[in-house]
Structures are given as C-alpha cells and as structure tokens.
C-alpha cells in the first residue's frame, strides 16, 4: 500500500498543515496522499487468496446491492459555501460521549484472522494509533480480552448478536463491560443468513487454525464444518423484537447501539425501546440483495429519530466526499468495513492507521472546499440530490 505525500504543503507554527493536519513540507498547496482503494483491494486479494477474498468481498445473491451501495453516494452532490474564512479544519467529535479524532470509525468485520496473522489486534492497534473508534465483531478470531490488551488506549465498542443460548450473550456482554468496551452494538438484520452464493461456491469456511473465542460454545465447530452461514442458522436467535434491546441494555451499564436499521418506523421503535444510537446498514449488502442502498435511506432515518439518538451509517462509503455527504445528511459518524480489511491484509496495523490517515487528510481537504471548519458545520444545505435522481423513482 502506498501512502505518498504528493505535493508540498503550507504550514502553521505547530509544524503541521492547518487544513490537512499532517506534518508539513515547505510550499503552498495542501498535502496530498496517494492511495487507490482499487489497488489496495487487488493487493489484499493477492495476499489473502481466493477463499478469504470471496468471504470479505461477496454479497447476497446476484450482488447488485454491493455496487449500488457505492454508486448511490454519487447521487448526492456537495453544494459548497465560499468565503468561509477557514484557516484550519477540526475533525474531532464524540460518539456517545467518547472523544474520537474523526467521524470515521472501523466497522465490525468478522474473521480478520483470514486477512492477517494478528487479526483484530492489528486492526485495533491501527485504529488506536489514529484515535479512531473500532467496533469489534463477536465473530472475531481474537478474543475481546486480547484486543483490549493489544490496544489499551483505543476507543472500542463490542458488536453482539443475541444467541439462542442467551447465557452466552450475557457472558459476552459482561466480558465486554469488564474490559473497557464503551457500547454494545446489537446487529438485528440477520434473522437468517443471506444467500451468499460467492461463499457457497467458493467453499468458504473457518480454517482449523482459527477459532471464534468470543462466541465459545459450538460456533467454532459450526464454522469449521458448515461455513459462517451455518453459525447464523444454528446459533443466532431469529425472533428478535424491540424488547430485546431493553433486555440487552439491562445486562450491563453500557449503552446499546442497534445496527441494521433500514426504515424510519423501525428507527423510532428502536429508540423507544432504549437504543442510544442506530447504524443505518444493510450488512454490507450481504443479507437482502434487493434492499435499498444506505445513501438513499439515511436522511429519512435521521429525520424520524429527530435527535433522540445518534445515527451512524455504513455501506459503500469509499471516499472522503462520501463521508462528508453522510454527515451533511445527518449521520454523526460513518463506519468503514471492506477498506479496513484490505488495509489490514496489505499492511497490518500500520496499514489500518495509514488508511485512516488518508481519510482524515482528504476529509480536511473536502471540508475546507465545502466551507466547513468543524464536523458540526456539516449541515444539510451542503448536500443536494444530483439532477436526474430522486428518492422516489431512482432516476
């Protein structure tokens, strides 16, 4: 992975460029970082091999939503303000009261041991190096205790599923609270496994040198024998209701974030049931292939919640302008998944940190060009629907 300063940058008396926030060299243009996510993905695919790539890259059924998640962000345009008097851009924000360096967080992605020998510990170290939030998947190949010990200063949340054997969910939630995780992120869009044809055809399974230490029970054996979809079928509670949000919240003092919300009415039900925050998500296009892209539903969820809970979004966010659009539409933060896996595979902890550095640098540039000095200034007047596109009809 290449992260190359392409141009010299103007500086302030701190030794950093006031717009990008990165170390300076002499000159007058903002620092540019040369990173191609397409090249990074190709490099990662070469490193990890076809089985792991099929698991990470694949989506449900014909995978149409994979592409739509990405392209839907282009159906929004940024509408910049000028003469805004900006000499510096501050990316700092808070997520449920936790200070983070930028509104870009690492999404919970499973089985990171397929990408790098240090797995989720490396991702946690890379995120901590940039002061970014990492959400650890309960389907991690490193235990939550190992991740906490590997990056003790980094902000971290724990993603959970409610299992058929609820005692195991109780144990996981309490372990997370004991080891410094700041929230429980409940994924609710997997009552059954999506039809992931690329996984089936690629023979995706958990190698015998990896385990699922956070779920314990029979999950590791299920993943070894039947693949990851078998874990969903055998282990996950399919019949969740809003009452389960309150049940999970009652296990610890941690706030509950509900991930997988795609409708305004569901958002309201989740908040009424006690959710402190929501993630607008279609599970990375891995569940229902005919669901809408998250760029098209974020605004209605934000409006329905009406400030009663924080709203985050994932799905297809690849570029800094995508992030700015999401924030202008009302998200407090975005979660990136597949790009972080490619960075992990290509460069371990340093790769993850470098990816986050790239997002930070380009976020500062984009915000400066839009006339916003802080993330709180990214409001809806800065984004508009692209000509020819409507939320009702698509084109």
């Amino acid at each position: 992975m290449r992260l190359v300063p392409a141009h010299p940058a103007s500086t302030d008396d701190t030794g950093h460029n006031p717009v990008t926030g990165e170390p300076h060299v002499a000159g007058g243009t903002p620092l540019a970082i040369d990173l191609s996510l397409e090249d990074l993905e190709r490099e990662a695919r070469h490193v990890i091999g076809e089985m792991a790539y099929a698991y990470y890259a694949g989506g449900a059924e014909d995978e149409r939503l994979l592409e739509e998640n990405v392209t839907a962000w282009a159906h929004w345009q940024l509408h910049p303000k000028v003469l805004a008097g900006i000499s510096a851009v501050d990316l700092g924000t808070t997520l449920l009261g936790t200070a983070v360096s930028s509104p870009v967080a690492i999404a919970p992605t499973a089985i990171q041991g397929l990408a790098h020998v240090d797995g989720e510990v490396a991702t946690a170290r890379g995120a901590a190096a940039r002061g970014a939030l990492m959400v650890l998947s309960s389907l991690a190949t490193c235990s939550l205790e190992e991740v906490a010990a590997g990056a003790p200063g980094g902000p971290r949340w724990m993603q959970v599923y409610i299992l058929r054997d609820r005692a195991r969910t109780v144990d996981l939630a309490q372990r997370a609270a004991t080891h410094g995780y700041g929230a429980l992120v409940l994924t609710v869009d997997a009552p059954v496994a999506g039809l992931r044809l690329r996984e089936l055809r690629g023979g995706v399974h958990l190698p015998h040198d990896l385990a699922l230490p956070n779920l314990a029970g029979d999950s590791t054996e299920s993943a070894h024998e039947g693949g990851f979809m078998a874990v969903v079928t055998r282990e996950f509670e399919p019949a969740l209701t809003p009452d389960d949000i309150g049940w999970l919240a009652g296990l610890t003092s941690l706030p509950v974030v509900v991930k997988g919300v795609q409708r305004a009415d569901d958002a309201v039900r989740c908040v009424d049931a006690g959710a402190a925050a929501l993630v607008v998500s279609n599970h990375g296009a891995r569940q229902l292939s005919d669901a809408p892209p998250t760029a098209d539903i974020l605004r209605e969820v934000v409006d329905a919640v009406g400030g009663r809970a924080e709203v985050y979004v994932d799905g297809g966010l690849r570029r800094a302008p995508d992030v700015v659009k999401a924030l202008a539409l009302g998200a407090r933060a975005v979660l990136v998944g597949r790009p972080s896996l490619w960075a992990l595979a290509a460069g371990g902890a340093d790769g993850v940190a470098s990816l986050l550095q790239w997002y930070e640098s380009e976020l500062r540039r984009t915000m400066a060009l839009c006339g916003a000095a802080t993330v709180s200034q990214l409001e809806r007047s800065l984004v508009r629907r692209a000509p020819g596109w409507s939320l009702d009809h698509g084109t």
Side-chain angles (χ1 to χ4, degrees), residues 72 98 326:
T98 297

Side-chain angles (χ1 to χ4, degrees), residues 108-149:
T109 54
I111 325 294
Q112 293 182 23
L114 290 175
H116 191 274
V117 64
D118 294 329
E120 292 82 4
V121 170
T123 299
R125 287 172 175 158
R130 300 304 299 184
L133 172 71
M134 175 190 177
V135 185
L136 179 67
S137 171
S138 59
L139 288 167
T141 48
C142 297
S143 72
L144 65 89
E145 291 86 357
E146 290 176 293
V147 171

Side-chain angles (χ1 to χ4, degrees), residues 47-347:
V47 170
I48 65 180
E50 289 305 307
M51 187 196 76
Y53 181 76
Y55 177 64
Y56 291 145
E61 300 185 38
D62 62 2
E63 300 188 338
R64 71 181 70 182
L65 187 54
L66 275 176
E67 181 179 355
E68 291 174 357
N69 262 354
V70 175
T71 58
W73 293 105
H75 304 159
W76 294 97
Q77 293 177 328
L78 292 172
H79 199 188
K81 296 178 180 179
V82 297
L83 303 176
I86 295 174
S87 60
V89 173
D90 181 5
L91 299 181
T93 188
T94 60
L95 305 179
L96 293 180
T98 297
V100 290
S101 60
S102 91
V104 177
I106 300 294
T109 54
I111 325 294
Q112 293 182 23
L114 290 175
H116 191 274
V117 64
D118 294 329
E120 292 82 4
V121 170
T123 299
R125 287 172 175 158
R130 300 304 299 184
L133 172 71
M134 175 190 177
V135 185
L136 179 67
S137 171
S138 59
L139 288 167
T141 48
C142 297
S143 72
L144 65 89
E145 291 86 357
E146 290 176 293
V147 171
R156 56 187 180 273
W157 293 352
M158 186 73 215
Q159 180 270 332
V160 299
Y161 294 99
I162 293 180
L163 305 177
R164 294 175 187 266
D165 180 359
R166 293 198 172 212
R168 293 165 58 197
T169 302
V170 173
D171 176 68
L172 180 61
Q174 293 176 346
R175 287 166 58 197
T178 298
H179 288 87
Y181 289 77
L184 299 175
V185 181
L186 173 64
T187 297
V188 296
D189 58 3
V192 297
L195 180 56
R196 303 175 189 173
L197 293 175
R198 199 186 317 197
E199 284 189 35
L200 287 172
R201 293 164 180 167
V204 172
H205 64 280
L206 184 69
H208 285 280
D209 60 343
L210 295 176
L212 304 176
N214 295 311
L215 291 187
D218 296 327
S219 299
T220 294
E221 183 179 352
S222 294
H224 285 158
E225 295 179 355
F228 305 117
M229 286 183 285
V231 178
V232 178
T233 301
R234 299 172 186 175
E235 308 281 339
F236 293 4
E237 170 59 62
L240 299 181
T241 73
D243 291 342
D244 292 304
I245 297 171
W247 176 79
L248 184 64
L251 300 181
T252 72
S253 61
L254 299 179
V256 173
V257 180
V258 178
K259 180 178 181 290
V261 176
Q262 300 178 62
R263 295 171 55 100
D265 52 357
D266 280 344
V268 171
R269 290 199 303 153
C270 289
V271 176
D272 288 345
L278 309 173
V279 184
V280 177
S281 174
N282 53 39
H283 212 107
R286 295 164 70 81
Q287 286 295 94
L288 182 65
S289 66
D290 289 273
T294 53
D296 287 349
I297 54 180
L298 171 61
R299 184 172 64 172
E300 63 191 76
V301 171
V302 169
D303 290 347
V305 169
R308 296 170 57 205
E310 294 184 1
V311 177
Y312 320 127
V313 65
D314 66 19
L317 294 133
R318 298 293 182 263
R319 305 159 51 249
D322 300 334
V323 177
V324 172
K325 293 171 189 177
L327 299 180
L329 287 168
R332 191 169 184 87
V334 307
L335 283 69
V336 295
R338 289 182 177 92
S340 70
L341 290 170
W342 311 144
L344 172 66

